[in-house]
């Protein structure tokens, strides 16, 4: 899939070196097709790294995708340069009157805090509410998924005794739902979190369906009835070395951290980690784009409030 970005976004050059088709604005203007408009609310501290990971995951369909980047105005990022944020990111106030085919809300390293204590919580809530009328389908990742289940359905999160950290095997459920089309019976995906959402709380809501879960890591993938809200508890977009970087970072800080499960050959952190989740991660993003964004969105968004005279 050609991804359309600003021509000078640093991620563009890296993606092109990886043989991923990235289209700049000038070429995209000459293509007589309806592109898919995706906005990414990037809550991760290392925003450029997250951009690359998600762009790679979005690059596996023939659809043209225009990507906009969004950062909370209510939070001062200390791990990404102000010049990068000012040049490539917008605020919610700048885009709130627009309509998008898809929205991705990333994870964030705030899961051990109460939602209401997060400095950008009110802004995230405003965006999640806005998404109901301005976005065809929203894909929520890790903390973003937990936050959305709490905001939309009142489902709580629970602290874990030990960080869920590593690559875990998951079992596909409800195979007839398009979101898991093409999945094997079992697949692997990375997790890196200190909290969990429990299956019994999700099952209290008839409008939610669990599509995949793990004996070790719990619920992984949840969808609402019309596919407008999809919740991913792990990180299928992670690169091969992401968990390695997190493990070594925490060790250097003197934090209590165990080896990521099922990650290093022979549990030896000096060896190159095994990449076991890329294919299913790509299928997940491709299914979301095709079945819940492209197939569901109209050629042009229409403001239904204007039609009925509200």
């Amino acid at each position: 899939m050609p991804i359309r970005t600003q021509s000078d976004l640093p991620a563009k050059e890296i993606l092109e070196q990886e043989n991923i088709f990235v289209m700049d604005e000038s070429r995209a203007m000459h293509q007589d097709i309806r592109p898919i408009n995706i906005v990414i609310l990037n809550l991760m501290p290392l925003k450029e790294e997250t951009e690359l990971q998600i762009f790679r995951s979005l690059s596996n369909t023939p659809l043209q995708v225009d990507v906009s980047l969004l950062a909370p105005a209510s939070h001062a990022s200390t791990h990404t340069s102000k010049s990068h944020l000012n040049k490539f990111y917008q605020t919610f106030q700048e885009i709130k009157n627009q309509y998008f085919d898809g929205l991705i809300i990333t994870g964030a390293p705030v899961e051990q805090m109460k939602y209401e204590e997060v400095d950008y919580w009110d802004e995230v809530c405003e965006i999640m509410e806005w998404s109901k009328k301005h976005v065809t389908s929203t894909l929520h990742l890790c903390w973003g998924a937990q936050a959305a289940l709490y905001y939309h359905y009142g489902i709580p999160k629970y602290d874990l005794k030990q960080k869920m950290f590593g690559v875990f095997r998951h079992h596909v459920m409800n195979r007839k739902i398009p979101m898991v089309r093409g999945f094997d019976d079992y697949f692997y995906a990375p997790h890196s979190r200190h909290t969990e959402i429990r299956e019994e709380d999700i099952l209290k809501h008839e409008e939610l369906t669990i599509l995949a879960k793990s004996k070790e890591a719990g619920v992984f993938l949840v969808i609402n009835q019309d596919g407008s809200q999809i919740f991913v508890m792990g990180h299928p977009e992670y690169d091969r070395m992401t968990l390695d970087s997190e493990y070594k970072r925490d060790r250097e800080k003197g934090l209590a951290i165990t080896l990521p499960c099922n990650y290093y050959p022979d549990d030896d952190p000096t060896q190159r980690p095994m990449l076991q989740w890329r294919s299913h991660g790509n299928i997940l993003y491709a299914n979301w784009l095709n079945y819940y964004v492209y197939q569901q969105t109209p050629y042009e968004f229409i403001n239904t409030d204007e039609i009925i005279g509200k």
Side-chain angles (χ1 to χ4, degrees):
M1 167 189 65
I3 299 174
R4 179 183 173 189
T5 69
Q6 291 174 251
S7 59
D8 52 351
L9 183 71
K12 179 177 181 291
E13 182 178 353
I14 299 173
L15 292 168
E16 288 175 334
Q17 292 172 357
E18 297 175 2
N19 201 29
I20 292 175
F21 185 16
V22 184
M23 183 182 297
D24 61 25
E25 300 98 326
S26 60
R27 180 168 181 178
M29 289 176 63
H30 293 87
Q31 300 234 334
D32 188 21
I33 61 174
R34 159 64 156 90
I36 300 299
N37 292 302
I38 302 293
V39 59
I40 300 172
L41 175 59
N42 192 349
L43 303 174
M44 295 294 280
L46 300 176
K47 298 198 183 313
E48 293 182 64
E49 179 180 298
T50 302
E51 292 162 22
L52 271 172
Q53 292 173 357
I54 294 179
F55 285 173
R56 288 189 185 109
S57 298
L58 293 173
S59 67
N60 292 282
T61 80
L63 303 172
Q64 178 182 315
V65 175
D66 288 3
V67 179
S68 300
L69 297 171
L70 191 65
S74 47
H75 176 76
S77 180
T78 58
H79 293 80
T80 302
S81 70
K82 288 185 179 180
S83 61
H84 185 84
L85 290 169
N86 291 337
K87 190 170 188 177
F88 300 112
Y89 279 76
Q90 296 174 281
T91 65
F92 177 60
Q93 292 302 313
E94 293 174 304
I95 61 96
K96 69 177 184 179
N97 294 322
Q98 300 178 39
Y99 292 82
F100 291 87
D101 304 313
L103 165 66
I104 296 174
I105 300 179
T106 73
V110 294
E111 57 195 281
Q112 291 178 291
M113 300 172 62
K114 293 181 179 180
Y115 293 116
E116 292 80 6
E117 293 176 353
V118 176
D119 59 2
Y120 48 80
W121 175 246
D122 289 343
E123 187 174 0
V124 170
C125 289
E126 187 178 4
I127 292 169
M128 289 191 291
E129 187 63 30
W130 164 87
S131 72
K132 294 178 181 179
K133 292 186 177 180
H134 288 254
V135 178
T136 300
S137 181
T138 301
L139 186 69
H140 310 81
L141 305 176
C142 201
W143 181 85
Q146 294 182 349
L149 287 169
Y150 176 71
Y151 176 76
H152 292 297
Y153 302 99
I155 295 175
K157 63 179 178 180
Y158 301 89
D159 291 332
L160 293 168
K161 293 180 180 179
Q162 181 175 299
K163 184 178 183 179
M164 190 65 64
F165 190 45
V167 182
F168 299 92
R169 191 172 83 151
H170 302 80
H171 179 218
V172 172
M173 307 164 67
N174 296 286
R175 179 172 291 282
K176 293 183 179 180
I177 294 179
M179 191 64 200
V180 291
R181 188 167 291 169
F183 276 55
D184 294 330
D185 288 341
Y186 291 90
F187 67 96
Y188 287 86
H191 290 259
S192 179
R193 51 185 169 81
H194 293 274
T195 55
E196 67 175 352
I197 299 293
R198 293 179 180 168
E199 180 176 0
E200 56 265 31
D201 291 331
I202 295 171
L203 294 176
K204 295 175 184 177
H205 297 266
E206 293 182 357
E207 62 272 42
L208 296 177
T209 300
I210 298 172
L211 299 182
K213 64 180 182 178
S214 164
K215 288 183 179 180
E216 298 82 14
V219 174
F220 175 73
L221 182 60
V222 179
I223 190 170
N224 73 344
Q225 283 183 329
D226 62 2
S228 62
Q229 297 169 353
I230 296 169
F231 312 90
V232 183
M233 305 304 167
H235 287 284
E237 76 285 354
Y238 266 11
D239 294 336
R240 180 193 298 270
M241 303 305 294
T242 305
L243 293 177
D244 177 73
S245 298
E246 292 183 6
Y247 172 68
K248 291 175 179 176
R249 175 202 65 198
D250 289 353
R251 282 196 64 188
E252 289 175 3
K253 291 181 178 179
L255 301 176
I257 184 69
T258 59
L259 279 173
C261 296
N262 307 313
Y263 183 57
Y264 297 114
D266 301 320
D267 283 337
D268 180 359
T270 66
Q271 295 194 48
R272 183 174 172 81
M274 297 179 289
L275 183 58
Q276 308 173 78
W277 63 90
R278 176 65 54 80
S279 59
H280 279 85
N282 288 341
I283 292 172
L284 185 150
Y285 277 88
N287 284 350
W288 173 64
L289 279 175
N290 184 31
Y291 298 116
Y292 299 97
V293 179
Y294 178 70
Q295 300 290 346
Q296 298 298 324
T297 196
Y299 187 84
E300 291 184 359
F301 268 113
I302 299 174
N303 188 336
T304 54
D305 287 350
E306 292 180 358
I307 291 177
I308 61 178
K310 287 186 177 180

